[in-house]
Amino acid sequence: MPSRKTIELLEAAAAEQNLLSDEPMSQWRLTMRRFRGRTSGMVGLSIVVFLILVAVFAPIIAPYDPNEVLIGKEDVKPRETSCIHILGCDPEKPQHILGTDANVRDFFSRIVYGTRVSLTLGFFTVTLALIVGSTLGALAGYAGGWFDNVVMRVMDVILGFPALLLAIAIVSVLGRGLQNALIAIAIVSIPAYARVMRSQVLTLKESDFVAASRALGASWNHILIRRVVPNAITPLVVLATLGVATAILEAAGLSFLGLGAQPPTAEWGSMLANERNNVFTSPHLVFFPGLAIMITVLGFNLMGDGLRDALDPSLNR
């Protein structure tokens, strides 16, 4: 005859199993309804979707190849201001919406292609940091003991350095380049995901549904992967959304210092660095890359705030 405690654990497991088929979809609908009620979140989502479309259709939107030097091909000069025919520019002159840069390349095309570079770097960086950080955090939180201490102390050491300075040090060791910048930014981002996942796992592993799974004989990896991690992923979604904005900003900073994207790659940070001394003579060459970075970071931050509000039950009572 099973004990009362065993029966209660089995009932809890059965109740959880019944909820698995219905709860995710209803929770998704509830979250989306809350998110749609957040004006700032919808504004951020609109900005992000717009930027993704620009990145995907960059070859169609951009009138020129971003690295094409127009000397000898068109009657244009370095750092020429914008020429838009419908706004009164001489039809005899070639049209350049944002003018040309110091190497006589179409600046609008480089801004457009810079969207593709920055978003790709941001998404890949966050994905790498999320996978590694959440895996380490989940294992450390569930296993505990010496493994938890070792992993968390390593995370504390990484957090002890300013993120940008540590990224600069890592790129200096690995060598300049966009790929190494991606790796460096991912490494300095790992502790945030690891600590959040660990805190969630420490709370969830003592829950009744986890105890029920243990009573049913489930293995530790089954419990961790199928029971604990899916219920701990919510705060990581918000953190990852905000992390994309941070990664793009840090990548622009590394490129500005000459450690990230290398010429002739169209990247907003390197474009700012190339023209920083011409802020008064050719302000458009500094203003538009800075504006692109600002809008991108703003979009992801607004979307992250909206997701946080939608996923936080205490804010939706």
Side-chain angles (χ1 to χ4, degrees), residues 149-163:
N149 287 329
V150 170
V151 172
M152 287 300 104
R153 296 301 76 75
V154 172
M155 297 298 108
D156 290 341
V157 170
I158 296 176
L159 285 173
F161 295 91

Side-chain angles (χ1 to χ4, degrees), residues 53-129:
L53 291 176
V54 170
V56 171
F57 297 104
I60 299 174
I61 298 172
Y64 296 89
D65 184 286
N67 300 324
E68 181 182 5
V69 178
L70 301 174
I71 296 177
K73 299 179 181 179
E74 294 182 357
D75 184 20
V76 289
K77 300 176 182 178
R79 299 191 179 96
E80 215 171 56
T81 56
S82 62
C83 176
I84 305 175
H85 293 160
I86 61 173
L87 296 182
C89 180
D90 187 358
E92 299 291 331
K93 296 183 63 176
Q95 179 170 260
H96 295 283
I97 298 176
L98 300 181
T100 57
D101 65 3
N103 295 309
V104 197
R105 295 172 295 194
D106 184 69
F107 205 62
F108 174 73
S109 299
R110 291 182 64 77
I111 291 289
V112 170
Y113 274 89
T115 308
R116 175 178 289 187
V117 174
S118 294
L119 290 186
T120 301
L121 190 144
F123 286 135
F124 272 95
T125 298
V126 168
T127 301
L128 180 60

Side-chain angles (χ1 to χ4, degrees), residues 275-283 286:
E275 302 296 341
R276 66 184 183 277
N277 294 326
N278 300 292
V279 64
F280 296 111
T281 57
S282 302
V286 177

Side-chain angles (χ1 to χ4, degrees), residues 81-312:
T81 56
S82 62
C83 176
I84 305 175
H85 293 160
I86 61 173
L87 296 182
C89 180
D90 187 358
E92 299 291 331
K93 296 183 63 176
Q95 179 170 260
H96 295 283
I97 298 176
L98 300 181
T100 57
D101 65 3
N103 295 309
V104 197
R105 295 172 295 194
D106 184 69
F107 205 62
F108 174 73
S109 299
R110 291 182 64 77
I111 291 289
V112 170
Y113 274 89
T115 308
R116 175 178 289 187
V117 174
S118 294
L119 290 186
T120 301
L121 190 144
F123 286 135
F124 272 95
T125 298
V126 168
T127 301
L128 180 60
L130 178 62
I131 292 174
V132 176
S134 60
T135 300
L136 290 175
L139 292 174
Y142 195 81
W146 66 268
F147 183 78
D148 182 24
N149 287 329
V150 170
V151 172
M152 287 300 104
R153 296 301 76 75
V154 172
M155 297 298 108
D156 290 341
V157 170
I158 296 176
L159 285 173
F161 295 91
L164 188 57
L165 290 181
L166 182 57
I168 291 172
I170 294 173
V171 173
S172 299
V173 173
L174 298 178
R176 301 181 181 187
L178 203 57
Q179 183 176 350
N180 291 337
L182 186 153
I183 296 172
I185 297 170
I187 290 174
V188 301
S189 303
I190 286 174
Y193 300 98
R195 291 173 70 89
V196 171
M197 175 59 83
R198 176 180 177 272
S199 66
Q200 291 292 107
V201 170
L202 286 175
T203 302
L204 291 170
K205 75 175 185 178
E206 305 298 334
S207 301
D208 290 341
F209 67 87
V210 173
S213 296
R214 289 198 192 99
L216 291 171
S219 61
W220 71 269
N221 55 337
H222 175 84
I223 295 174
L224 183 61
I225 297 173
R226 299 292 301 275
R227 297 290 182 262
V228 177
V229 171
N231 289 282
I233 205 71
T234 298
L236 291 174
V237 172
V238 178
L239 185 62
T241 305
L242 298 172
V244 174
T246 303
I248 291 174
L249 202 56
E250 290 177 349
L254 289 176
S255 296
F256 184 85
L257 296 173
L259 300 174
Q262 299 299 304
T265 304
E267 200 276 336
W268 296 331
S270 62
M271 293 164 69
L272 274 172
N274 293 336
E275 302 296 341
R276 66 184 183 277
N277 294 326
N278 300 292
V279 64
F280 296 111
T281 57
S282 302
H284 62 287
L285 299 181
V286 177
F287 174 77
F288 288 112
L291 181 65
I293 295 172
M294 186 202 73
I295 291 175
T296 304
V297 172
L298 177 65
F300 280 102
N301 283 338
L302 290 176
M303 189 173 72
D305 288 341
L307 279 175
R308 181 200 61 196
D309 295 345
L311 292 169
D312 189 350

